[in-house]
Every structure is written in structure tokens, then in C-alpha cells.
Amino acid sequence: RGQSGADLWCCRVSGSGKSTISAGVERVLHQQGRFTIRLDGDNLRTGLNANLSFSDEDRLENIRRTAELAKILAQNGVIVLCSLITPRGIHRDLARGIIGEDFAEVYVKASFAACEARDVKGLYAKAAKGEVAHFTGKDSSFEEPQHADLTVDTERLSVEDAVFEVLEFL
């Protein structure tokens, strides 16, 4: 393939910009002839992880399965763009431990208020009505990463600038 594999693990709550940034990075890398795959938490939960809830135990299993898949792909030269909430340090440590040296943690920084205002999927409105159980940021906490490899502040940066920062890091 003429490239080395990598796993960029983008984390933060819904609406922070994880998937948008990953899609932008993927688009640029494809234009450069790079082979990439996006593993998005929403898509994974409709297939590979469809049998998992949002309980603490199932969140851990969701991360474990995704990390195992991302590891295999990176070992085969694929640039993997993971977009998962990954709410706790223990979850991110698990992913880092499974994936190893190809892992890079990208903290997509945005306040809960900014994410709620964006409410791209209508999840915040549903959570406010009590229609979403274990909603991260409301019913379930998100621990900010203490040692992310890259922090991308989506309240400060445009999508294009955020994508550029990730590409520069990569």
C-alpha cells in the first residue's frame, strides 16, 4: 500500500465534531491516494456491536471490539479513523493497550453546551425528555483526557481548520 497503518481515536460527546472531522480527514487522505477506514460508533452499534447497550460493561465491550478491529486494520497498513464517545479514561487506556504504538488519542474538545446547541441527531432533546438512557454528559459522565496526543477545539476552529490540524498531526 505504500503507507503505514495508524489508528486515530477521536473521542468526546455527541455533537462535538468527531465524525465530521474524521470524514474530512478521510476525504483528504483519499484524494492523496491513502487507504483509510472510518469506524464510527453509530455505525458499529448497528452491526458489529448491535447487541450492546450503553451500560458501563457494554461500553467497555464496545471499545474492546472496536479496538481489536482497528488494531488488525492498522497492522495491515490501513489508516483507521475511529469516532467513539469513549467517555472514561479506562476506556481510552483499554483501546491504547490493545492497539499499541499505532494508537493516537484525539480529543475533540467542545463544551457540553456547544454540543447540546448543535444537537445534530436530536439526542439532546430526547435526553431532556428522558427518552435516552445513560446519555453521556447528562446521565453518564465524560472524563476529559489528561494526556491526549492531540486536542482539537471545535468551538475555536472551523471544520476545515480542525481537519488540517489532524492531518498535520498525522
Side-chain angles (χ1 to χ4, degrees):
R1 290 194 176 86
Q3 69 181 41
S4 296
D7 280 304
L8 297 180
W9 196 282
C10 299
C11 64
R12 185 61 176 127
V13 296
S14 181
S16 61
K18 300 178 304 295
S19 298
T20 302
I21 292 168
S22 291
V25 169
E26 179 183 47
R27 191 171 34 259
V28 172
L29 291 175
H30 274 258
Q31 290 170 351
Q32 296 174 352
R34 305 290 183 179
F35 183 49
T36 67
I37 291 180
R38 277 192 306 132
L39 299 179
D40 188 272
D42 290 338
N43 295 337
L44 291 165
R45 283 188 174 272
T46 63
L48 179 66
N49 297 331
N51 65 321
L52 301 175
S53 72
F54 290 91
S55 70
D56 288 340
E57 297 80 21
D58 282 1
R59 282 182 186 267
L60 199 62
E61 180 60 13
N62 179 51
I63 299 304
R64 189 196 67 75
R65 289 180 191 177
T66 303
E68 291 288 357
L69 176 58
K71 176 183 177 180
I72 292 167
L73 292 167
Q75 286 174 338
N76 285 280
V78 179
I79 299 169
V80 186
L81 304 163
C82 298
S83 301
L84 290 93
I85 292 172
T86 326
R88 293 190 174 75
I90 191 170
H91 298 141
R92 296 184 291 271
D93 290 345
L94 174 67
R96 185 183 299 274
I98 290 169
I99 295 167
E101 65 184 32
D102 292 327
F103 180 90
E105 181 179 335
V106 179
Y107 175 42
V108 182
K109 183 178 180 180
S111 67
F112 184 82
C115 296
E116 184 176 29
R118 294 172 186 163
D119 202 7
V120 181
K121 302 172 198 165
L123 293 173
Y124 289 86
K126 288 181 182 178
K129 295 176 188 173
E131 297 173 7
V132 179
H134 305 290
F135 190 70
T136 307
K138 182 180 180 290
D139 306 321
S140 179
S141 67
F142 182 92
E143 298 172 359
E144 282 197 31
Q146 299 303 306
H147 306 288
D149 298 295
L150 175 66
T151 297
V152 179
D153 187 340
T154 61
E155 288 186 72
R156 187 179 59 79
L157 297 171
S158 67
V159 171
E160 294 78 17
D161 289 340
V163 167
F164 180 76
E165 278 199 13
V166 173
L167 290 167
E168 284 292 304
F169 172 79
L170 187 61

